[in-house]
C-alpha cells in the first residue's frame, strides 16, 4: 500500500531559526515528490518538485532533498519568518499520475 | 492557485439535504482532482476526472457521492443525503495532464452539516 509519513506532526520555532521537516514514503512506481505549503483556510501551493535523479532543489529559503534509495525527503527552511507558519505537505506521485499525500507538518513560527 | 475557482466557499446543509460543490479549473486545464480534508487531517484523494470521463474514483465513497466534469462548465462534486461526517473542506485541483505536472489547487469549499 502506498504511504507517505511526515514528521514531526507539529513544530514550533522562533522567528529567524531554521528547521527541517521529514517525509518518508513507500510509493511505487515513483515518479516525483512535491512539497506543498498550505496556509490556514487556503488550498496548497507547490514549493518544489523532485524527480528520481534530483538530490536537492532550492526555492528561496526552502531547500528540498531527496534520497530515492532510502525513500526519504526533507524540506529545510532557513531564517524562518512569521509567514512561514503553515502546514507543509509531502506528496508522492506515481507514473500513473496517482498522488499520495502525507498528513502534513504544522509549523508555527513565533516572534 | 489563484486561477482555480471553487464555489461556494462555505456551504451549510442540514442532514439529508444535497450538497453541490463546483470547481472551475484553470484555463487550458482538462484534468481535475477532488480531495477531502477533515479537520486536523491531511488531504485524501477522492476522484480524478478528465473532460467527460472519470479516470479514477477509487477514493470516493460508493454511496451518496458522485462527480462529473462535463464538456462545458465546471466540475461538480455532488453529495446526496448529507450526514454530519461529511463536514469537511473539499478541494479541487486542476492540471494540464502529464505525470510531472503541478496540480493547482482551488481555495476549497468548507461544508458544514448541521
Amino acid at each position: 500500500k502506498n504511504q507517505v509519513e511526515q514528521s514531526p506532526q507539529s513544530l514550533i520555532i522562533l522567528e529567524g531559526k531554521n528547521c527541517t521537516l521529514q517525509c518518508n514514503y513507500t510509493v511505487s512506481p515513483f515518479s516525483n515528490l512535491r512539497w506543498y505549503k498550505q496556509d490556514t483556510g487556503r488550498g496548497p501551493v507547490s514549493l518544489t518538485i523532485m524527480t528520481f535523479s534530483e538530490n536537492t532543489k532550492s526555492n528561496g529559503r526552502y531547500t528540498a532533498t531527496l534520497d530515492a534509495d532510502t525513500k526519504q525527503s526533507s524540506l529545510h527552511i532557513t531564517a524562518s519568518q512569521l509567514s512561514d507558519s503553515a502546514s507543509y505537505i509531502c506528496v508522492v506521485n506515481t507514473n500513473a499520475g496517482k498522488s499520495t499525500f502525507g498528513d502534513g507538518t504544522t509549523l508555527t513560527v513565533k516572534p | 492557485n489563484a486561477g482555480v475557482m471553487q464555489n461556494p466557499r462555505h456551504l451549510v446543509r442540514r442532514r439529508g439535504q444535497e450538497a453541490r460543490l463546483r470547481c472551475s479549473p484553470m484555463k487550458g486545464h482538462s484534468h481535475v482532482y477532488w480531495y477531502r480534508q477533515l479537520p486536523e487531517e491531511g488531504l485524501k484523494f477522492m476522484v480524478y476526472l478528465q473532460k467527460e470521463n472519470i479516470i479514477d474514483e477509487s477514493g470516493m465513497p460508493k454511496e451518496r457521492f458522485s462527480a462529473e466534469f462535463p464538456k462545458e462548465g465546471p466540475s461538480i462534486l455532488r453529495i446526496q443525503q448529507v450526514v454530519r461526517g461529511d463536514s469537511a473542506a473539499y478541494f479541487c485541483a486542476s492540471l494540464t495532464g502529464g505525470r510531472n505536472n503541478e496540480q493547482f489547487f482551488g481555495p476549497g469549499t468548507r461544508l458544514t452539516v448541521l
Side-chain angles (χ1 to χ4, degrees), chain B residues 50-92:
Chain B
Q50 291 179 333
K51 285 280 188 181
E52 300 184 276
N53 286 307
I54 297 175
I55 305 302
D56 182 354
E57 56 182 348
S58 59
M60 195 120 85
K62 289 187 170 31
E63 297 180 352
R64 302 189 298 108
F65 286 73
S66 62
E68 62 177 8
F69 190 14
K71 185 177 180 180
E72 302 291 338
S75 175
I76 306 288
L77 178 67
R78 182 183 294 111
I79 310 172
Q80 296 177 305
Q81 299 175 345
V82 295
V83 300
R84 289 210 173 118
D86 296 332
S87 295
Y90 292 83
F91 291 93
C92 80

Side-chain angles (χ1 to χ4, degrees), chain A residues 5-83:
Chain A
E5 294 189 358
Q6 293 187 241
S7 62
Q9 187 175 13
S10 61
L11 182 62
I12 301 174
I13 61 174
L14 293 176
E15 186 179 13
K17 297 297 185 183
N18 304 336
C19 66
T20 300
L21 314 180
Q22 300 291 343
C23 173
N24 297 340
Y25 63 91
T26 56
V27 176
S28 181
F30 177 88
S31 175
N32 61 76
L33 181 150
R34 285 188 185 272
W35 283 93
Y36 285 85
K37 179 187 179 187
Q38 185 178 20
D39 291 310
T40 300
R42 293 179 173 269
V45 175
S46 179
L47 295 174
T48 65
I49 178 173
M50 307 286 289
T51 56
F52 188 84
S53 59
E54 295 175 306
N55 298 120
T56 185
K57 182 173 284 187
S58 291
N59 176 7
R61 294 180 297 103
Y62 301 105
T63 299
T65 66
L66 175 66
D67 185 333
D69 291 330
T70 62
K71 299 187 177 181
Q72 296 179 326
S73 176
S74 67
L75 181 69
H76 186 74
I77 305 174
T78 304
S80 60
Q81 301 176 357
L82 297 179
S83 59

Side-chain angles (χ1 to χ4, degrees), chain B residues 28 99 108:
Chain B
R99 62 191 185 207

